[in-house]
Amino acid sequence: MFRLLGVLLTVLFAIATAIVTWPQFFRLEQSFPFAQLVAVRGWLVIGFALVLVLALLLSVSRRMRGFAASIAIIALLGGGASAVIGLTRGIGPGEMPEPTDASIRVMTWNTAGEAVSAERIAQEIVSNGADIVTLPETSEEVGERIALMMREQGQPMWVHHVQFNPEVTNGPQSWFTTILISPELGDYSVIPSSTDGTSNTGSVPSAVVMPVDGHGPTVVAVHAVAPRPDDMDQWRSDLQWVADQCPGGNVILAGDFNATLDHMSGLGVDGGDMGACRDAAARTGNGLSGTWPASIPALAGSPIDHIMATPNWTPTGSHVLSSADSRSDHRAVVVQYEPAG
């Protein structure tokens, strides 16, 4: 009886290990609770390591030796596989090359409302030389203050904005999304379907801005709802909407996706991660650096904030900003792009 129980537990542990390590194979990457577990690969590696140590301790007992050895092997394989996946995406720290005449820099930061001051945001934009900035949970008023401070420093930015439920006074900061774009990229305008919500993410707003004069990329400031148990359907719908915004052409996605690359399996086309757009951090050795929560080390966090672009842009560097002196629960991400070819 004890041997049968050991075999059963070993089989169940092997199945669970396979699912949490690569849920895409079982098409469970967007299902609760596997979506939540695979979002923190760093913790998965730690968890498998602890199981491995426990199994080795149990192997001291002759009666438990066979069972413990089986569990240890499975834990070693699971932890090793998760570690390899993380290493292939890159653990950072990312480095930024010197800008060129043709390069652009894109920055995204979920500022958690007014948890981050306009002065601090403007400082980071200037110090990182960003040309495009997407700010989920940042109001238009704060965006205008940032632009004013940047203009005074000789780096003007146009401000674009989408707000859900504008008729509600003192609504949650998650109903705001603001975009700043350098005038050097031309004139831009928010498309009507973003403003009126006829085509947008469901609970918190994203924003699509397009060049008015025909130059520059279409920019999508992304904010998908978090995958809480009660919001899983909306979360999946939001991710599909984001992927649909990048069918090809000249597009940059940047924002709080509330999803890692594991969750995006099946949403990419032609080698993309979301539609035709490709994640910059994973292609510049920084894909496992966690952006949330900012209160824990980056490698223990979840990389849910992304900057992606169509293949006509080549990422040459990425950087996840330090969370020091920031009260936001997200870290900012900066990417440098060069025109492909």
Side-chain angles (χ1 to χ4, degrees), residues 39-40 259-261 264 286-292 298 301-306:
V40 284
T260 70
L261 291 177
M264 300 172 190
N286 213 23
L288 199 66
S289 294
T291 60
W292 178 91
S302 184
I304 61 174
D305 299 86
H306 303 272

Side-chain angles (χ1 to χ4, degrees), residues 126-199:
V126 171
S127 63
N128 286 280
D131 304 290
I132 299 171
V133 184
T134 66
L135 299 170
E137 301 193 15
T138 298
S139 67
E140 182 179 22
E141 177 185 359
V142 173
E144 290 174 347
R145 286 164 50 198
I146 295 169
L148 179 61
M149 285 182 279
M150 295 189 65
R151 186 181 68 184
E152 293 174 348
Q153 298 184 57
Q155 300 185 41
M157 302 285 273
W158 296 121
V159 181
H160 303 279
H161 176 71
V162 170
Q163 177 182 353
F164 277 180
N165 308 309
E167 71 281 359
V168 178
T169 58
N170 299 319
Q173 295 291 331
S174 60
W175 286 353
F176 299 95
T177 292
T178 292
I179 304 174
L180 304 176
I181 299 181
S182 170
E184 294 182 2
L185 293 176
D187 294 331
Y188 275 77
S189 177
V190 179
I191 66 172
S193 59
S194 286
T195 304
D196 62 25
T198 55
S199 176

Side-chain angles (χ1 to χ4, degrees), residues 249-268:
N250 187 8
V251 180
I252 291 178
L253 309 177
D256 177 6
F257 289 61
N258 267 310
T260 70
L261 291 177
D262 292 294
H263 302 127
M264 300 172 190
S265 178
L267 294 175

